[in-house]
Amino acid sequence: MTYKPSLLYSQLPAIDRLLREPQITLFVEQYGQTLVTVTLREMQEQARIYIKQYQALPDWCDNWALALSQQLEQKQTLALKPVFNLSGTVIHTNLGRALMAESAIEAVTQVMRSPVTLEYSLNDAGRGHRDYALANLLRELTGAEDACIVNNNAAAVLLLLATVASGKQVVVSRGELVEIGGAFRIPDVMVQAGCQLIEVGTTNRTHLKDYRQAINEETALLMKVHTSNYNIEGFTAEVSGRELAALGMASQIPTAIDLGSGSMIDMAQYGLPAEPMPQNYLNQGIDLVTFSGDKLLGGPQAGIILGKKRWIEAIQRHPLKRALRADKMTLAALEATLRLYQRPEQLCQQLPTLRLLTRSQQQVHDMAQRLLPQLQARYGDQFIVRDESCYSQIGSGSLPVDRLPSWALTFAAIDGQGSSLEQLARRWRELAKPVLGRISGGRLWLDLRCLEDENALLQALLL
Ligand SMILES: *Cc1c(COP(=O)(O)O)cnc(C)c1O
Protein backbone atom coordinates (compact mmCIF):
# COMPACT_ATOMS: atom_id res chain seq x y z
CA MET A 1 0.00 0.00 0.00
CA THR A 2 1.44 3.37 -0.95
CA TYR A 3 0.80 6.63 0.84
CA LYS A 4 0.70 10.07 -0.54
CA PRO A 5 4.23 11.32 0.21
CA SER A 6 2.90 14.53 1.73
CA LEU A 7 1.23 12.46 4.45
CA LEU A 8 4.46 10.67 5.13
CA TYR A 9 6.41 13.91 5.43
CA SER A 10 3.96 15.16 8.01
CA GLN A 11 4.61 12.05 10.11
CA LEU A 12 8.20 13.13 10.68
CA PRO A 13 8.40 14.46 14.27
CA ALA A 14 9.43 18.08 14.82
CA ILE A 15 12.91 18.63 16.22
CA ASP A 16 11.51 20.54 19.20
CA ARG A 17 9.29 17.66 20.13
CA LEU A 18 12.12 15.15 19.81
CA LEU A 19 14.37 17.29 22.00
CA ARG A 20 11.79 17.08 24.78
CA GLU A 21 11.67 13.26 24.75
CA PRO A 22 13.21 12.02 28.02
CA GLN A 23 15.63 9.63 26.31
CA ILE A 24 16.81 12.31 23.95
CA THR A 25 17.32 14.85 26.74
CA LEU A 26 19.81 12.37 28.17
CA PHE A 27 21.74 12.50 24.91
CA VAL A 28 21.69 16.30 25.09
CA GLU A 29 23.35 16.07 28.49
CA GLN A 30 25.95 13.65 27.21
CA TYR A 31 26.75 15.09 23.78
CA GLY A 32 25.55 18.70 24.00
CA GLN A 33 22.56 20.50 22.49
CA THR A 34 24.34 21.54 19.28
CA LEU A 35 25.52 18.12 18.19
CA VAL A 36 22.17 16.47 19.01
CA THR A 37 20.17 19.12 17.14
CA VAL A 38 22.41 19.00 14.10
CA THR A 39 22.23 15.21 14.04
CA LEU A 40 18.42 15.21 14.32
CA ARG A 41 18.23 17.66 11.39
CA GLU A 42 20.44 15.37 9.33
CA MET A 43 18.21 12.41 10.21
CA GLN A 44 15.11 14.32 9.14
CA GLU A 45 16.79 15.09 5.85
CA GLN A 46 17.75 11.42 5.41
CA ALA A 47 14.13 10.45 6.11
CA ARG A 48 12.83 12.96 3.51
CA ILE A 49 15.21 11.62 0.89
CA TYR A 50 14.06 8.08 1.70
CA ILE A 51 10.38 9.03 1.42
CA LYS A 52 10.98 10.73 -1.90
CA GLN A 53 12.68 7.64 -3.26
CA TYR A 54 10.53 4.84 -1.76
CA GLN A 55 7.23 6.51 -0.79
CA ALA A 56 7.59 4.98 2.67
CA LEU A 57 9.10 5.86 6.05
CA PRO A 58 12.50 4.32 6.77
CA ASP A 59 12.35 1.58 9.43
CA TRP A 60 14.41 3.48 11.93
CA CYS A 61 11.68 6.13 12.23
CA ASP A 62 9.98 3.67 14.64
CA ASN A 63 12.63 4.51 17.19
CA TRP A 64 14.28 7.90 16.80
CA ALA A 65 16.15 7.65 20.10
CA LEU A 66 17.85 4.40 19.11
CA ALA A 67 18.77 5.66 15.64
CA LEU A 68 20.03 8.90 17.15
CA SER A 69 22.24 7.07 19.66
CA GLN A 70 23.81 5.07 16.82
CA GLN A 71 24.51 8.17 14.77
CA LEU A 72 25.95 10.02 17.74
CA GLU A 73 28.19 7.11 18.60
CA GLN A 74 29.46 6.98 15.03
CA LYS A 75 30.25 10.67 15.13
CA GLN A 76 32.26 10.25 18.32
CA THR A 77 34.70 7.72 16.85
CA LEU A 78 37.84 9.43 15.64
CA ALA A 79 38.65 9.46 11.96
CA LEU A 80 42.17 8.16 12.63
CA LYS A 81 41.30 4.66 13.83
CA PRO A 82 43.88 2.18 15.08
CA VAL A 83 43.85 -0.95 12.90
CA PHE A 84 45.56 -4.32 12.72
CA ASN A 85 47.99 -4.05 9.81
CA LEU A 86 48.07 -7.60 8.49
CA SER A 87 48.46 -6.38 4.91
CA GLY A 88 51.99 -7.70 4.64
CA THR A 89 53.48 -4.23 4.11
CA VAL A 90 55.41 -3.15 7.18
CA ILE A 91 56.01 0.56 6.48
CA HIS A 92 52.60 1.27 4.99
CA THR A 93 52.15 4.87 3.86
CA ASN A 94 48.34 4.68 3.95
CA LEU A 95 48.48 3.30 7.50
CA GLY A 96 50.82 5.97 8.83
CA ARG A 97 54.25 4.41 8.16
CA ALA A 98 56.60 3.85 11.11
CA LEU A 99 55.29 3.00 14.57
CA MET A 100 57.03 5.01 17.21
CA ALA A 101 59.28 3.83 20.02
CA GLU A 102 57.88 4.15 23.55
CA SER A 103 60.50 6.77 24.38
CA ALA A 104 59.31 8.85 21.41
CA ILE A 105 55.71 8.55 22.58
CA GLU A 106 56.70 9.77 26.04
CA ALA A 107 58.71 12.64 24.61
CA VAL A 108 55.75 13.79 22.52
CA THR A 109 53.24 13.73 25.37
CA GLN A 110 55.67 15.70 27.50
CA VAL A 111 56.00 18.56 25.01
CA MET A 112 52.23 18.53 24.52
CA ARG A 113 51.63 19.09 28.24
CA SER A 114 54.28 21.61 29.10
CA PRO A 115 56.00 24.67 27.66
CA VAL A 116 59.37 23.61 26.25
CA THR A 117 62.64 25.15 25.15
CA LEU A 118 61.72 24.89 21.46
CA GLU A 119 63.44 28.08 20.33
CA TYR A 120 64.82 29.17 23.66
CA SER A 121 68.35 28.86 24.91
CA LEU A 122 68.60 28.49 28.68
CA ASN A 123 72.22 29.67 28.64
CA ASP A 124 71.82 33.18 27.30
CA ALA A 125 68.02 33.48 27.59
CA GLY A 126 67.90 34.33 23.88
CA ARG A 127 66.14 32.78 20.97
CA GLY A 128 67.85 29.68 19.54
CA HIS A 129 66.68 27.96 16.38
CA ARG A 130 64.40 24.97 16.66
CA ASP A 131 66.56 22.38 14.88
CA TYR A 132 69.57 23.15 17.05
CA ALA A 133 69.41 20.24 19.51
CA LEU A 134 68.62 17.76 16.78
CA ALA A 135 71.39 19.07 14.57
CA ASN A 136 73.88 18.36 17.37
CA LEU A 137 72.59 14.84 17.74
CA LEU A 138 72.66 14.21 13.99
CA ARG A 139 76.19 15.60 13.75
CA GLU A 140 77.28 13.17 16.42
CA LEU A 141 75.52 10.20 14.80
CA THR A 142 76.46 10.82 11.18
CA GLY A 143 79.47 13.10 11.12
CA ALA A 144 77.45 15.67 9.14
CA GLU A 145 78.51 19.30 9.61
CA ASP A 146 74.96 20.46 10.18
CA ALA A 147 71.29 19.51 9.80
CA CYS A 148 67.88 20.95 9.00
CA ILE A 149 64.53 19.34 9.83
CA VAL A 150 61.33 19.95 7.87
CA ASN A 151 57.84 18.50 7.52
CA ASN A 152 58.75 15.52 5.30
CA ASN A 153 61.30 14.43 2.73
CA ALA A 154 59.34 16.01 -0.11
CA ALA A 155 59.68 19.34 1.72
CA ALA A 156 63.38 18.65 2.28
CA VAL A 157 63.99 18.19 -1.45
CA LEU A 158 61.91 21.26 -2.32
CA LEU A 159 63.69 23.48 0.20
CA LEU A 160 67.12 22.20 -0.80
CA LEU A 161 66.45 22.88 -4.48
CA ALA A 162 64.91 26.29 -3.85
CA THR A 163 67.89 27.35 -1.74
CA VAL A 164 70.74 25.96 -3.80
CA ALA A 165 69.48 26.17 -7.36
CA SER A 166 66.46 28.46 -7.81
CA GLY A 167 66.63 30.16 -11.20
CA LYS A 168 69.48 27.86 -12.20
CA GLN A 169 70.03 24.42 -13.68
CA VAL A 170 70.04 21.08 -11.84
CA VAL A 171 71.57 18.05 -13.54
CA VAL A 172 69.87 14.67 -12.87
CA SER A 173 70.18 11.27 -14.56
CA ARG A 174 67.24 10.21 -16.77
CA GLY A 175 67.23 6.90 -14.90
CA GLU A 176 66.48 8.65 -11.60
CA LEU A 177 63.51 10.91 -12.37
CA VAL A 178 61.29 9.12 -9.89
CA GLU A 179 57.66 9.41 -8.98
CA ILE A 180 56.87 8.40 -5.40
CA GLY A 181 53.23 7.50 -4.77
CA GLY A 182 50.94 10.21 -6.08
CA ALA A 183 52.16 13.73 -6.34
CA PHE A 184 55.90 13.61 -5.63
CA ARG A 185 57.69 13.66 -9.00
CA ILE A 186 61.20 14.99 -9.36
CA PRO A 187 60.49 17.07 -12.51
CA ASP A 188 57.46 18.70 -10.84
CA VAL A 189 59.38 19.48 -7.65
CA MET A 190 62.06 21.15 -9.79
CA VAL A 191 59.43 23.42 -11.32
CA GLN A 192 58.01 24.31 -7.90
CA ALA A 193 61.50 25.15 -6.64
CA GLY A 194 62.09 27.39 -9.67
CA CYS A 195 64.85 25.16 -11.06
CA GLN A 196 65.49 24.05 -14.60
CA LEU A 197 65.91 20.29 -14.79
CA ILE A 198 68.69 19.12 -17.09
CA GLU A 199 68.23 15.40 -17.80
CA VAL A 200 71.35 13.51 -18.73
CA GLY A 201 72.13 9.96 -19.83
CA THR A 202 69.47 7.46 -20.83
CA THR A 203 66.88 5.49 -18.90
CA ASN A 204 69.22 2.55 -18.34
CA ARG A 205 72.70 4.08 -18.51
CA THR A 206 74.18 7.33 -17.24
CA HIS A 207 77.92 8.01 -17.15
CA LEU A 208 79.98 10.61 -15.34
CA LYS A 209 80.77 12.23 -18.68
CA ASP A 210 77.04 12.86 -19.18
CA TYR A 211 77.00 14.95 -16.00
CA ARG A 212 80.31 16.61 -16.95
CA GLN A 213 79.14 17.61 -20.42
CA ALA A 214 75.95 19.18 -18.99
CA ILE A 215 77.88 21.60 -16.80
CA ASN A 216 77.85 25.27 -17.81
CA GLU A 217 77.72 28.62 -16.02
CA GLU A 218 74.03 28.12 -15.26
CA THR A 219 74.58 24.82 -13.44
CA ALA A 220 73.88 25.15 -9.72
CA LEU A 221 73.57 21.54 -8.56
CA LEU A 222 74.49 17.98 -9.53
CA MET A 223 71.88 15.64 -8.11
CA LYS A 224 71.12 11.97 -7.63
CA VAL A 225 67.81 10.47 -6.56
CA HIS A 226 67.59 7.02 -5.00
CA THR A 227 65.34 4.92 -7.22
CA SER A 228 63.54 3.56 -4.19
CA ASN A 229 60.47 2.01 -5.71
CA TYR A 230 61.77 0.46 -8.90
CA ASN A 231 64.80 -1.34 -10.20
CA ILE A 232 66.37 -1.04 -13.62
CA GLU A 233 67.98 -4.34 -14.52
CA GLY A 234 70.10 -5.59 -17.39
CA PHE A 235 72.49 -3.36 -19.33
CA THR A 236 72.74 -0.54 -16.82
CA ALA A 237 75.19 2.01 -15.49
CA GLU A 238 74.83 4.73 -12.90
CA VAL A 239 77.14 7.35 -11.51
CA SER A 240 78.19 6.57 -7.93
CA GLY A 241 78.04 9.08 -5.10
CA ARG A 242 81.83 9.08 -4.95
CA GLU A 243 82.20 9.92 -8.64
CA LEU A 244 79.58 12.65 -8.47
CA ALA A 245 81.20 14.17 -5.37
CA ALA A 246 84.58 14.26 -7.13
CA LEU A 247 83.08 15.95 -10.20
CA GLY A 248 81.30 18.47 -7.99
CA MET A 249 84.49 19.33 -6.16
CA ALA A 250 86.52 19.62 -9.36
CA SER A 251 83.95 21.90 -10.98
CA GLN A 252 83.00 23.73 -7.76
CA ILE A 253 79.34 22.82 -8.06
CA PRO A 254 77.45 21.46 -5.04
CA THR A 255 76.13 17.88 -5.07
CA ALA A 256 73.01 16.43 -3.44
CA ILE A 257 71.28 13.06 -3.11
CA ASP A 258 67.63 12.43 -2.26
CA LEU A 259 67.88 9.09 -0.47
CA GLY A 260 64.15 8.58 0.09
CA SER A 261 64.18 6.19 3.00
CA GLY A 262 67.88 5.93 3.71
CA SER A 263 69.04 4.20 6.86
CA MET A 264 71.41 5.39 9.55
CA ILE A 265 72.51 1.84 10.30
CA ASP A 266 73.61 -0.98 8.05
CA MET A 267 70.46 -3.01 7.36
CA ALA A 268 72.50 -5.93 6.06
CA GLN A 269 73.60 -6.75 9.62
CA TYR A 270 70.00 -7.82 10.27
CA GLY A 271 69.76 -9.78 7.05
CA LEU A 272 67.67 -7.01 5.49
CA PRO A 273 68.31 -5.54 2.03
CA ALA A 274 71.02 -2.89 2.19
CA GLU A 275 69.68 0.66 2.11
CA PRO A 276 71.92 3.65 1.27
CA MET A 277 73.33 5.30 4.39
CA PRO A 278 73.47 9.11 4.56
CA GLN A 279 76.80 9.14 6.44
CA ASN A 280 78.50 7.13 3.68
CA TYR A 281 77.58 9.70 1.03
CA LEU A 282 78.68 12.58 3.25
CA ASN A 283 82.00 10.79 3.79
CA GLN A 284 82.37 10.46 0.05
CA GLY A 285 82.11 14.24 -0.23
CA ILE A 286 78.47 14.73 -1.25
CA ASP A 287 77.41 18.17 0.02
CA LEU A 288 73.80 17.48 0.97
CA VAL A 289 71.58 14.43 1.52
CA THR A 290 67.88 14.25 2.36
CA PHE A 291 65.78 11.40 3.76
CA SER A 292 62.48 10.66 5.56
CA GLY A 293 61.93 10.44 9.30
CA ASP A 294 59.14 7.88 9.10
CA LYS A 295 60.48 5.28 6.72
CA LEU A 296 63.30 2.98 7.83
CA LEU A 297 64.51 5.51 10.39
CA GLY A 298 61.43 4.54 12.39
CA GLY A 299 60.47 7.99 13.66
CA PRO A 300 57.81 10.63 13.00
CA GLN A 301 56.96 12.13 9.61
CA ALA A 302 59.84 14.51 8.92
CA GLY A 303 62.40 15.40 6.30
CA ILE A 304 66.05 15.47 7.33
CA ILE A 305 68.68 17.42 5.42
CA LEU A 306 72.29 16.74 6.37
CA GLY A 307 75.41 18.26 4.94
CA LYS A 308 77.87 21.11 4.66
CA LYS A 309 77.43 23.91 7.15
CA ARG A 310 77.39 26.74 4.60
CA TRP A 311 74.57 25.10 2.66
CA ILE A 312 72.53 24.13 5.71
CA GLU A 313 72.83 27.70 7.03
CA ALA A 314 71.51 29.02 3.73
CA ILE A 315 68.68 26.47 3.84
CA GLN A 316 67.80 27.50 7.43
CA ARG A 317 67.59 31.15 6.30
CA HIS A 318 65.41 30.50 3.24
CA PRO A 319 61.89 31.98 3.64
CA LEU A 320 60.33 28.61 2.74
CA LYS A 321 61.89 27.05 5.86
CA ARG A 322 59.30 28.79 7.99
CA ALA A 323 56.50 27.28 5.93
CA LEU A 324 58.01 23.80 5.96
CA ARG A 325 59.40 23.57 9.49
CA ALA A 326 58.56 20.72 11.85
CA ASP A 327 56.43 21.25 14.95
CA LYS A 328 57.50 20.55 18.53
CA MET A 329 55.81 17.13 18.66
CA THR A 330 57.68 15.97 15.59
CA LEU A 331 60.97 17.33 16.88
CA ALA A 332 60.45 15.66 20.25
CA ALA A 333 59.63 12.30 18.67
CA LEU A 334 62.55 12.58 16.29
CA GLU A 335 64.98 13.46 19.06
CA ALA A 336 63.89 10.48 21.16
CA THR A 337 64.11 8.21 18.11
CA LEU A 338 67.59 9.41 17.23
CA ARG A 339 68.76 8.90 20.81
CA LEU A 340 68.06 5.20 20.37
CA TYR A 341 70.65 5.19 17.59
CA GLN A 342 73.25 6.09 20.21
CA ARG A 343 72.84 2.52 21.48
CA PRO A 344 72.42 0.57 18.25
CA GLU A 345 72.64 -2.82 19.99
CA GLN A 346 69.15 -2.28 21.44
CA LEU A 347 67.63 -0.70 18.36
CA CYS A 348 66.04 -3.91 17.15
CA GLN A 349 63.94 -4.21 20.28
CA GLN A 350 63.14 -0.56 20.86
CA LEU A 351 62.25 0.61 17.37
CA PRO A 352 58.95 -1.09 16.52
CA THR A 353 59.48 -0.85 12.77
CA LEU A 354 62.86 -2.53 12.96
CA ARG A 355 61.50 -5.08 15.44
CA LEU A 356 58.80 -6.10 12.95
CA LEU A 357 61.15 -6.12 9.98
CA THR A 358 63.66 -8.38 11.76
CA ARG A 359 61.20 -10.96 13.03
CA SER A 360 62.19 -14.38 11.79
CA GLN A 361 59.84 -16.42 9.65
CA GLN A 362 59.94 -19.07 12.40
CA GLN A 363 58.58 -16.59 14.98
CA VAL A 364 55.74 -15.57 12.70
CA HIS A 365 55.10 -19.22 11.85
CA ASP A 366 54.80 -20.13 15.55
CA MET A 367 52.29 -17.37 16.07
CA ALA A 368 50.24 -18.67 13.15
CA GLN A 369 50.22 -22.14 14.78
CA ARG A 370 48.88 -20.69 18.02
CA LEU A 371 46.09 -18.75 16.32
CA LEU A 372 45.04 -21.31 13.74
CA PRO A 373 42.88 -23.74 15.80
CA GLN A 374 40.62 -21.04 17.25
CA LEU A 375 40.12 -19.33 13.91
CA GLN A 376 39.41 -22.68 12.25
CA ALA A 377 36.78 -23.36 14.91
CA ARG A 378 35.19 -19.94 14.40
CA TYR A 379 35.32 -19.67 10.60
CA GLY A 380 35.69 -23.31 9.47
CA ASP A 381 32.02 -23.70 8.48
CA GLN A 382 32.33 -21.13 5.70
CA PHE A 383 36.04 -20.93 4.98
CA ILE A 384 39.02 -23.18 4.57
CA VAL A 385 41.36 -21.69 7.13
CA ARG A 386 45.03 -22.59 6.74
CA ASP A 387 48.46 -21.29 7.56
CA GLU A 388 50.78 -20.64 4.64
CA SER A 389 54.17 -19.14 4.04
CA CYS A 390 54.19 -15.76 2.33
CA TYR A 391 56.37 -12.73 1.74
CA SER A 392 56.07 -9.38 3.49
CA GLN A 393 57.15 -6.15 1.88
CA ILE A 394 59.21 -3.53 3.65
CA GLY A 395 57.12 -0.80 2.00
CA SER A 396 57.43 2.96 1.65
CA GLY A 397 59.78 3.13 -1.21
CA SER A 398 61.91 0.13 -0.42
CA LEU A 399 62.30 -2.11 -3.41
CA PRO A 400 59.17 -4.15 -4.04
CA VAL A 401 61.44 -7.03 -5.04
CA ASP A 402 63.14 -7.12 -1.63
CA ARG A 403 60.73 -9.30 0.28
CA LEU A 404 60.84 -10.88 3.71
CA PRO A 405 59.80 -14.52 4.23
CA SER A 406 56.80 -14.50 6.56
CA TRP A 407 53.76 -16.57 7.55
CA ALA A 408 50.05 -15.94 7.07
CA LEU A 409 46.63 -17.26 7.97
CA THR A 410 44.58 -17.65 4.81
CA PHE A 411 40.84 -17.88 4.32
CA ALA A 412 39.34 -19.44 1.18
CA ALA A 413 35.57 -19.52 0.73
CA ILE A 414 34.19 -23.08 0.83
CA ASP A 415 31.57 -22.04 -1.73
CA GLY A 416 34.47 -20.82 -3.88
CA GLN A 417 32.86 -17.44 -4.33
CA GLY A 418 34.92 -14.29 -4.38
CA SER A 419 31.92 -12.40 -3.00
CA SER A 420 32.12 -14.35 0.28
CA LEU A 421 35.75 -13.34 0.65
CA GLU A 422 34.91 -9.71 -0.09
CA GLN A 423 32.17 -9.89 2.53
CA LEU A 424 34.55 -11.29 5.11
CA ALA A 425 37.11 -8.59 4.35
CA ARG A 426 34.40 -5.95 4.66
CA ARG A 427 33.16 -7.37 7.98
CA TRP A 428 36.68 -7.18 9.36
CA ARG A 429 37.11 -3.63 8.10
CA GLU A 430 33.99 -2.67 10.05
CA LEU A 431 35.27 -3.99 13.39
CA ALA A 432 35.88 -1.52 16.23
CA LYS A 433 39.56 -2.08 15.53
CA PRO A 434 39.54 -3.05 11.85
CA VAL A 435 41.58 -6.05 10.70
CA LEU A 436 43.21 -5.34 7.34
CA GLY A 437 44.43 -8.23 5.22
CA ARG A 438 44.92 -8.63 1.51
CA ILE A 439 42.97 -10.67 -1.07
CA SER A 440 45.09 -12.57 -3.55
CA GLY A 441 44.75 -15.82 -5.46
CA GLY A 442 41.22 -16.48 -4.19
CA ARG A 443 42.23 -16.21 -0.54
CA LEU A 444 42.15 -13.55 2.14
CA TRP A 445 45.64 -13.35 3.63
CA LEU A 446 46.47 -12.17 7.13
CA ASP A 447 50.25 -11.76 7.16
CA LEU A 448 51.15 -11.98 10.84
CA ARG A 449 54.53 -10.22 10.63
CA CYS A 450 53.12 -6.99 12.07
CA LEU A 451 50.93 -8.61 14.73
CA GLU A 452 52.20 -8.01 18.25
CA ASP A 453 49.06 -8.54 20.34
CA GLU A 454 47.72 -12.01 19.51
CA ASN A 455 44.97 -11.90 22.10
CA ALA A 456 43.60 -8.62 20.84
CA LEU A 457 43.36 -10.07 17.33
CA LEU A 458 41.63 -13.20 18.62
CA GLN A 459 39.15 -11.09 20.57
CA ALA A 460 38.36 -9.07 17.47
CA LEU A 461 38.01 -12.06 15.14
CA LEU A 462 36.21 -14.45 17.49
CA LEU A 463 33.31 -12.06 18.06
C1 LIG B 1 59.59 8.55 -0.07
C2 LIG B 1 60.43 9.37 -0.95
C3 LIG B 1 60.24 10.76 -1.03
C4 LIG B 1 59.15 11.45 -0.29
O1 LIG B 1 59.37 11.40 1.08
P1 LIG B 1 58.18 11.81 2.10
O2 LIG B 1 58.81 11.66 3.45
O3 LIG B 1 57.07 10.89 1.83
O4 LIG B 1 57.83 13.22 1.80
C5 LIG B 1 61.08 11.48 -1.85
N1 LIG B 1 62.05 10.88 -2.57
C6 LIG B 1 62.27 9.55 -2.52
C7 LIG B 1 63.36 8.95 -3.35
C8 LIG B 1 61.46 8.75 -1.71
O5 LIG B 1 61.66 7.42 -1.65
Side-chain angles (χ1 to χ4, degrees):
M1 162 164 176
T2 52
Y3 292 94
K4 256 175 80 181
S6 58
L7 279 178
L8 290 169
Y9 290 123
S10 67
Q11 285 181 33
L12 293 177
I15 304 271
D16 287 347
R17 214 207 77 205
L18 285 167
L19 284 171
R20 282 193 303 272
E21 276 187 21
Q23 249 187 311
I24 291 180
T25 50
L26 286 179
F27 293 140
V28 172
E29 268 170 41
Q30 192 181 343
Y31 295 98
Q33 173 100 16
T34 312
L35 183 64
V36 172
T37 312
V38 167
T39 309
L40 286 171
R41 280 214 192 94
E42 287 168 3
M43 290 167 67
Q44 275 197 326
E45 189 51 33
Q46 288 159 17
R48 284 199 196 95
I49 291 169
Y50 190 95
I51 294 169
K52 191 167 168 202
Q53 196 171 359
Y54 300 106
Q55 287 80 51
L57 283 171
D59 290 342
W60 56 262
C61 281
D62 296 343
N63 191 340
W64 278 73
L66 178 67
L68 175 65
S69 78
Q70 283 163 354
Q71 298 235 350
L72 287 169
E73 214 160 278
Q74 240 173 37
K75 284 189 179 187
Q76 291 307 103
T77 60
L78 293 173
L80 295 183
K81 256 191 202 176
V83 299
F84 290 97
N85 172 15
L86 307 185
S87 66
T89 300
V90 180
I91 309 176
H92 198 306
T93 296
N94 304 129
L95 300 179
R97 292 196 184 161
L99 304 177
M100 232 114 321
E102 285 305 317
S103 59
I105 295 167
E106 274 167 36
V108 174
T109 44
Q110 198 168 327
V111 301
M112 290 170 84
R113 287 216 177 89
S114 166
V116 287
T117 53
L118 179 62
E119 295 179 350
Y120 192 95
S121 152
L122 293 173
N123 297 331
D124 56 11
R127 196 179 145 95
H129 86 60
R130 61 172 56 200
D131 299 343
Y132 198 75
L134 275 167
N136 280 338
L137 195 51
L138 283 162
R139 272 207 294 268
E140 191 186 299
L141 289 167
T142 65
E145 287 182 15
D146 206 351
C148 173
I149 313 298
V150 285
N151 179 54
N152 55 16
N153 187 38
V157 176
L158 176 69
L159 180 59
L160 184 160
L161 289 171
T163 307
V164 178
S166 183
K168 297 271 188 62
Q169 295 183 352
V170 181
V171 187
V172 188
S173 158
R174 281 206 172 82
E176 300 179 359
L177 297 174
V178 308
E179 171 178 316
I180 308 289
F184 184 87
R185 307 170 102 187
I186 290 292
D188 299 345
V189 178
M190 294 274 172
V191 172
Q192 291 304 317
C195 305
Q196 188 190 349
L197 168 64
I198 305 296
E199 304 174 25
V200 295
T202 60
T203 307
N204 56 328
R205 287 173 76 82
T206 300
H207 308 281
L208 193 60
K209 68 172 192 290
D210 297 323
Y211 273 94
R212 191 183 298 122
Q213 283 164 4
I215 294 175
N216 62 61
E217 57 281 8
E218 290 302 307
T219 309
L221 183 66
L222 307 176
M223 188 177 183
K224 276 180 68 64
V225 182
H226 182 54
T227 56
S228 17
N229 54 2
Y230 65 96
N231 200 9
I232 299 179
E233 277 181 51
F235 186 54
T236 63
E238 71 166 306
V239 173
S240 71
R242 194 181 297 281
E243 290 173 296
L244 195 70
L247 177 61
M249 277 182 262
S251 45
Q252 300 207 312
I253 295 170
T255 50
I257 306 187
D258 169 13
L259 293 176
S261 175
S263 172
M264 296 213 323
I265 45 164
D266 180 10
M267 287 288 151
Q269 69 182 297
Y270 305 112
L272 294 170
E275 186 71 22
M277 295 168 66
Q279 54 269 54
N280 290 353
Y281 287 112
L282 297 174
N283 280 340
Q284 291 170 7
I286 294 290
D287 292 293
L288 293 162
V289 297
T290 75
F291 55 102
S292 291
D294 56 352
K295 291 184 179 172
L296 279 172
L297 186 78
Q301 179 190 303
I304 300 169
I305 313 175
L306 300 180
K308 295 273 157 61
K309 193 167 189 59
R310 70 172 270 248
W311 290 117
I312 298 286
E313 277 173 356
I315 287 169
Q316 289 284 6
R317 280 195 306 270
H318 193 282
L320 264 181
K321 168 70 199 308
R322 174 60 193 256
L324 303 176
R325 71 185 186 183
D327 77 304
K328 63 179 176 177
M329 292 185 279
T330 300
L331 294 173
L334 189 56
E335 182 182 358
T337 305
L338 289 172
R339 288 209 180 281
L340 299 177
Y341 281 82
Q342 292 174 314
R343 301 178 69 184
E345 60 285 356
Q346 297 184 4
L347 216 48
C348 244
Q349 271 320 302
Q350 294 179 332
L351 267 189
T353 302
L354 198 56
R355 183 166 70 226
L356 298 175
L357 286 172
T358 54
R359 274 181 154 180
S360 70
Q361 188 182 31
Q362 184 66 44
Q363 264 177 301
V364 188
H365 166 268
D366 293 348
M367 195 160 39
Q369 299 308 310
R370 289 192 293 272
L371 294 169
L372 186 63
Q374 298 187 69
L375 291 174
Q376 274 173 335
R378 168 68 179 78
Y379 290 95
D381 58 334
Q382 283 184 62
F383 297 93
I384 302 163
V385 187
R386 293 176 44 200
D387 66 304
E388 294 185 58
S389 73
C390 66
Y391 286 97
S392 315
Q393 295 196 8
I394 296 172
S396 267
S398 296
L399 282 182
V401 289
D402 288 331
R403 303 199 301 167
L404 314 173
S406 186
W407 216 269
L409 296 171
T410 63
F411 297 74
I414 284 176
D415 64 13
Q417 288 190 354
S419 57
S420 316
L421 269 193
E422 296 285 351
Q423 255 172 29
L424 184 66
R426 184 169 344 109
R427 207 161 90 212
W428 287 350
R429 281 199 300 272
E430 286 166 0
L431 292 170
K433 181 168 174 177
V435 175
L436 308 182
R438 149 176 72 85
I439 292 181
S440 158
R443 306 200 278 301
L444 178 51
W445 296 72
L446 301 182
D447 181 337
L448 300 179
R449 171 170 295 280
C450 293
L451 179 66
E452 295 209 277
D453 190 344
E454 291 172 39
N455 287 329
L457 180 73
L458 274 183
Q459 263 176 25
L461 292 187
L462 294 183
L463 269 180

